[in-house]
Amino acid sequence: MAKAAEKRFWRHVPVINKSLIAFVRSLKDIPGNLEKAMLYSLKSGGKRIRPILLMESYELFGGSGKKALPAACALEMIHTYSLIHDDLPSMDNDDLRRGKPTNHKVFGENVAILAGDALLTNAFSVLGLNGDIEGIKPENVLSAMRILSKYAGAGGMVGGQIADIKAEGFPVQKRGKAGGRLLDYIHNHKTADLMRAAVEIGAVLADAPGEDVFTLSNYARHIGLAFQIIDDMLDVVGDKKKLGKKGSDAANKKLTYASFYGIERSRRKAAELVKKAHENLRKLKSNVRPADNLHFIADFIIQRDR
Ligand code: GRG
């Protein structure tokens, strides 16, 4: 069963990859170097977890996840912009991402900033294309836009990133409730929020009832937090070759789960969160398909090595 869910979960990757390129190429009047920089990062081998979560959440309540491809690609465009900007010299100053030179190393800092800006802005025009898809209500596309901007914006991912920057150099010896709360704030917003956007948008486009959207959002909050805990741990103990990056948290004096709680406690916390994510999925009421593939991703997150 787990093997079958694994195969079903990753089956979306080829169509997401093709659609991302097609959507960017369909944008009009883009100067060549900007298009190259946008496509460079979109094509550099991401796992596509967020768009898959979106398509899987759509499928729980009905038809083919392909109907939600514009929204799924819009979300991946926002994730890609965040990685380009996260790697910039004024942020984490990383030279490698997914085993390849970072966007600013190839195209220069100014082009990398603008490629990120363009991916962010055009994500909303791509999401708008979902309004042309038969069977999807235009008012649900409008709700999806609100959800995406809420979770990607100032009170979401960008808010998490600024808190992350402000927490650099936080004395980890000062362990206490305030430090734990700050850490949870950063990770909930920096990482979990785009996963919440994924499942909420998928479910809303499929016209799922609010109660199930809420349940899925809680599932995603738990896997998102677990995902970032594992990311922090991999930064310290992971195989740098498999990760395709060097690991810069210690050099940047980041406040991370690994630095705050230590590796073993972090591992236990991630396992507890994944358990809660599974429990949330069991609370779903009106899904017409079983949530096996979403159960699979919860387990994948904790076992991943890249
Ligand atoms: C607005 C200037 C400006 C910058 C924004 C918001 C932001 C910068 C950065 C977002 C924060 C960030 C990069 C969070 C990390 C989330 C995370 C663990 C990313 C890696 O996700 P994976 O493993 O990546 O899914 P792949 O490579 O598979 O796509």
Side-chain angles (χ1 to χ4, degrees):
M1 166 113 111
K3 271 262 167 260
E6 177 173 1
K7 220 169 140 190
R8 279 200 306 273
F9 188 83
W10 298 115
R11 79 190 189 286
H12 301 291
V13 172
V15 71
I16 292 169
N17 289 345
K18 246 173 78 184
S19 307
L20 276 168
I21 297 168
F23 285 135
V24 169
R25 292 225 168 105
S26 73
L27 300 170
K28 301 275 180 288
D29 289 331
I30 317 180
N33 63 339
L34 182 60
E35 187 182 270
K36 271 196 196 128
M38 291 163 80
L39 288 174
Y40 174 79
S41 292
L42 284 174
K43 293 204 285 194
S44 70
K47 294 183 285 298
R48 312 304 193 204
I49 284 173
R50 295 153 193 82
I52 300 176
L53 278 173
L54 193 154
M55 293 167 79
E56 285 291 337
S57 300
Y58 183 88
E59 290 197 350
L60 279 183
F61 303 95
S64 159
K66 286 189 184 151
K67 290 204 167 204
L69 264 171
C73 290
L75 182 58
E76 187 68 6
M77 287 166 75
I78 290 193
H79 166 63
T80 306
Y81 117 77
S82 82
L83 301 183
I84 295 173
H85 282 189
D86 193 51
D87 291 333
L88 288 170
S90 59
M91 300 265 174
D92 280 0
N93 195 18
D94 279 317
D95 295 349
L96 276 181
R97 162 84 54 192
R98 300 164 175 159
K100 300 187 177 83
T102 43
N103 199 293
H104 65 271
K105 282 279 153 194
V106 179
F107 298 96
E109 197 176 340
N110 48 5
V111 176
I113 291 173
L114 292 168
D117 291 342
L119 286 166
L120 167 61
T121 312
N122 286 116
F124 287 89
S125 52
V126 170
L127 173 55
L129 298 174
N130 246 132
D132 301 333
I133 306 279
E134 210 193 315
I136 294 193
K137 293 181 182 166
E139 63 265 34
N140 288 342
V141 180
L142 194 58
S143 300
M145 288 207 174
R146 285 211 189 101
I147 294 168
L148 190 55
S149 89
K150 175 177 111 178
Y151 284 123
M157 179 181 68
V158 176
Q161 177 77 353
I162 201 117
D164 191 24
I165 292 167
K166 273 182 72 182
E168 276 171 22
F170 183 92
V172 285
Q173 303 81 348
K174 228 176 88 187
R175 285 165 218 274
K177 280 200 176 133
R181 270 200 301 271
L182 178 59
L183 198 50
D184 283 349
Y185 178 90
I186 294 170
H187 287 22
N188 267 318
H189 291 293
K190 193 176 89 163
T191 307
D193 275 358
L194 281 200
M195 304 214 180
R196 295 180 80 176
V199 298
E200 286 191 29
I201 291 171
V204 161
L205 290 180
D207 216 22
E211 199 184 350
D212 277 347
V213 177
F214 180 76
T215 300
L216 277 174
S217 190
N218 272 331
Y219 154 83
R221 189 164 54 80
H222 287 108
I223 62 165
L225 211 48
F227 188 90
Q228 186 60 52
I229 293 177
I230 300 294
D231 211 70
D232 288 354
M233 287 167 49
L234 289 173
D235 199 85
V236 181
V237 297
D239 177 337
K240 307 296 177 235
K241 226 174 170 173
K242 276 190 189 155
L243 287 170
K245 57 181 184 180
K246 284 196 200 122
S248 58
D249 288 349
N252 289 330
K253 296 191 170 58
K254 290 274 182 188
L255 175 62
T256 69
Y257 271 85
S259 67
F260 194 75
Y261 292 113
I263 296 294
E264 271 324 303
R265 230 176 124 192
S266 298
R267 205 187 297 281
R268 281 201 300 277
K269 272 187 175 287
E272 278 162 28
L273 288 161
V274 166
K275 193 165 159 250
K276 286 192 181 137
H278 285 301
E279 284 165 15
N280 268 290
L281 288 180
R282 286 192 278 273
K283 290 185 195 156
L284 284 170
K285 292 217 167 94
S286 50
N287 48 317
V288 297
R289 292 200 174 107
D292 296 1
N293 300 350
L294 295 183
H295 280 294
F296 161 76
I297 194 67
D299 291 329
F300 164 80
I301 273 170
I302 204 153
Q303 289 153 11
R304 75 193 177 99
D305 56 9
R306 68 181 182 102

